[in-house]
Amino acid sequence: MVPGPTDVAAIALAFILPAAAMLLLMPGYARFLVARGRTTGDSHKPGGVVVPTPAGPLIMASLVVGEVAAWAFFRSPVPLVLIVVVASVGLIGLYDDLRGLGGVVKPALLAGVGLFVAVAEHLHRGVYSPVLYFPLFTETGTHYIIFALIVVASVPVSANAFNMLDAFNGEISGFTAIVSAALVVAVVLRAYALPGTSLGTVAMAVPLLATSASFYYFNRYPSRIFDGDSGSLSFGAMYVILSIVGGVEIAALVALIPAVVNSYYILSSVRGLVERKRMAARPTFLGDDMKLHASSDAKAPTTLVRMILLGGPLDERALVNRILAITAYAAFLSVVTSVMTWLL
Amino acid sequence: MSGTEKNKETLLAMMGIVTVAWLLILGATYVFFVIVRPLGPELHGANLPSYVTKVTLTLGLGASWFVVMFAISWLYLRAFRSPRTSS
């Protein structure tokens, strides 16, 4: 489908408004957090460096601004569903930032957000399509119950996968920006290939790219603000629900492979859902050379970072660049998957 | 082998893991559409044995992804792990 002037204006505004909100408001918000004493130590730097946290509320606000812009143009209920998802998950994350939530309570609450999306589809058909489109082959049949179960499970899985990648300066913001760029390509190709598809899904997808890319400016090494669980969970939930309402689940899953592999290796090595702060041993440690080393402690979880550091110690910036290089490669495979799904 | 070379090797190996994970998804897609899906009628119209067979095979495809990824991580750790002490 060829975009008209209204489509272009909607997509441009849905990108520009969240990015502008982030870039203009973040410095003042960071000062506000410092004035309120909301800071935490940056454990990978010497000299007691403290960084304001959490940036999650501003990330939520930025995403909401973008979805409101998409809604204003397309008048679809889907951006409203996305707003409720971001607000709910962000508040769960904010409670976790301020008070802490258990390793089982948090996934249960996040599954409740997934349940809300499934119920929204039940009440208003068209929020998402209960069909999976696969590369090279075709789509599955329509399976309302099976798909609803996938939606309920996807929010805690994705949100926690993002949360587990939130350990180093610029890691989560760079990761989200790269995978959301692949997601935008997927929804653009789907809109191009499927006759009658609204470009509204593109306008709904770009706020995540705009928010994460502009947040990377503040979160990259050396970080001027941390996102907190409210930020990482919001990113993860928004990403997976966008992939579902956009009908590009398989391509989105491929971009997410580094996060999925990381989560799977952590869960299999610690044998269950354990909150990061309560793990018996850390996967890495800061050496006297100010570089990060892989821990040799048998109790330490097997993480993506620990696996990378088995090649030798790295400083934080080089380590995050490697993680983002692996993510960019997965995003490239995601684009290949999108081409195989929609153009071949 | 120098530290830089070993760092490059781990980066390439991690990209190899991502590639294998992707190929497994494509392979599972092939098995699903060519073998599992043609087994009997559509899921909603299937009788119980056909339904159970299709759902079990689909879950088995998902489980095989995890088994292969676990085996790869074991090979990776065996290849790159060297004795170190944490401070």
Side-chain angles (χ1 to χ4, degrees):
Chain A
M1 157 173 210
V2 180
T6 310
D7 298 320
V8 173
I11 293 165
L13 271 181
F15 184 89
I16 292 167
L17 289 179
M22 178 66 69
L23 293 170
L24 294 174
L25 298 179
M26 186 58 87
Y29 178 68
R31 285 195 296 275
F32 165 78
L33 288 174
V34 171
R36 295 287 300 267
R38 294 276 174 208
T39 58
T40 187
D42 189 338
S43 57
H44 302 119
K45 291 186 184 62
V49 174
V50 291
V51 179
T53 187
L58 192 53
I59 289 170
M60 290 156 57
S62 176
L63 290 169
V64 167
V65 165
E67 295 307 326
V68 168
W71 176 80
F73 278 89
F74 293 98
R75 298 285 165 175
S76 153
V78 182
L80 303 179
V81 170
L82 289 167
I83 288 169
V84 173
V85 167
V86 166
S88 312
V89 173
L91 288 174
I92 293 167
L94 194 59
Y95 188 89
D96 193 30
D97 286 329
L98 302 177
R99 300 275 178 89
L101 281 170
V104 176
V105 174
K106 194 161 59 176
L109 290 173
L110 293 170
V113 177
L115 182 63
F116 160 76
V117 178
V119 170
E121 162 62 18
H122 181 70
L123 297 175
H124 191 289
R125 294 283 184 222
V127 169
Y128 59 80
S129 168
V131 171
L132 282 175
Y133 291 86
F134 283 88
L136 294 179
F137 296 93
T138 178
E139 70 270 22
T140 62
T142 304
H143 298 293
Y144 289 103
I145 296 173
I146 293 174
F147 209 89
L149 292 173
I150 292 173
V151 172
V152 172
S154 68
V155 176
V157 169
S158 175
N160 275 303
F162 275 64
N163 187 229
M164 286 176 179
L165 273 181
D166 188 15
F168 299 98
N169 290 192
E171 187 184 11
I172 188 67
S173 51
F175 175 83
T176 309
I178 292 168
V179 296
S180 58
L183 184 80
V184 169
V185 171
V187 293
V188 167
L189 289 178
R190 186 183 193 273
Y192 171 78
L194 281 187
T197 306
S198 164
L199 284 166
T201 50
V202 182
M204 290 169 216
V206 291
L208 181 62
L209 172 60
T211 301
S212 53
S214 52
F215 178 58
Y216 179 75
Y217 177 73
F218 300 101
N219 185 236
R220 68 188 169 163
Y221 184 93
S223 283
R224 283 178 275 169
I225 191 162
F226 290 154
D227 56 324
D229 283 2
S230 47
S232 58
L233 295 178
S234 297
F235 279 146
M238 185 72 167
Y239 179 82
V240 75
I241 296 301
L242 274 173
S243 76
I244 289 166
V245 300
V248 293
E249 297 88 348
I250 306 299
L253 175 67
V254 171
L256 220 55
I257 284 174
V260 173
V261 166
N262 182 55
S263 300
Y264 171 57
Y265 287 157
I266 291 173
L267 294 176
S268 59
S269 58
V270 301
R271 294 188 174 84
L273 290 170
V274 180
E275 186 65 10
R276 188 171 47 190
K277 297 154 197 163
R278 292 176 191 160
M279 284 179 180
R282 293 184 66 85
T284 62
F285 65 94
L286 190 64
D288 295 334
D289 55 359
M290 290 298 131
K291 288 186 174 179
L292 288 149
H293 296 246
S295 170
S296 57
D297 192 330
K299 291 179 191 159
T302 303
T303 65
L304 193 67
V305 167
R306 191 180 179 204
M307 291 171 82
I308 292 170
L309 290 175
L310 286 174
L314 291 168
D315 63 57
E316 189 176 11
R317 193 198 307 244
L319 172 64
V320 172
N321 285 342
R322 273 170 172 69
I323 294 167
L324 297 186
I326 293 165
T327 307
Y329 177 64
F332 164 73
L333 294 180
S334 168
V335 172
V336 172
T337 306
S338 293
V339 170
M340 290 164 73
T341 306
W342 303 112
L343 300 184
L344 297 183
Chain B
M1 189 190 301
S2 74
T4 312
E5 283 172 5
K6 204 174 173 191
N7 270 324
K8 276 183 188 164
E9 275 197 8
T10 52
L11 181 63
L12 288 174
M14 290 304 304
M15 287 179 170
I17 290 176
V18 172
T19 307
V20 170
W22 179 62
L23 291 174
L24 284 171
I25 291 171
L26 293 184
T29 301
Y30 176 82
V31 173
F32 178 78
F33 279 101
V34 175
I35 298 172
V36 177
R37 202 183 190 196
L39 291 173
E42 286 277 320
L43 205 54
H44 289 305
N47 56 21
L48 187 63
S50 172
Y51 182 96
V52 171
T53 306
K54 287 168 106 169
V55 171
T56 305
L57 285 172
T58 305
L59 291 176
L61 280 175
S64 65
W65 188 91
F66 289 101
V67 170
V68 174
M69 294 311 290
F70 188 81
I72 289 175
S73 78
W74 183 81
L75 287 171
Y76 181 98
L77 292 174
R78 208 175 74 146
F80 290 106
R81 185 176 276 160
S82 57
R84 287 194 184 92
T85 52
S86 58
S87 59

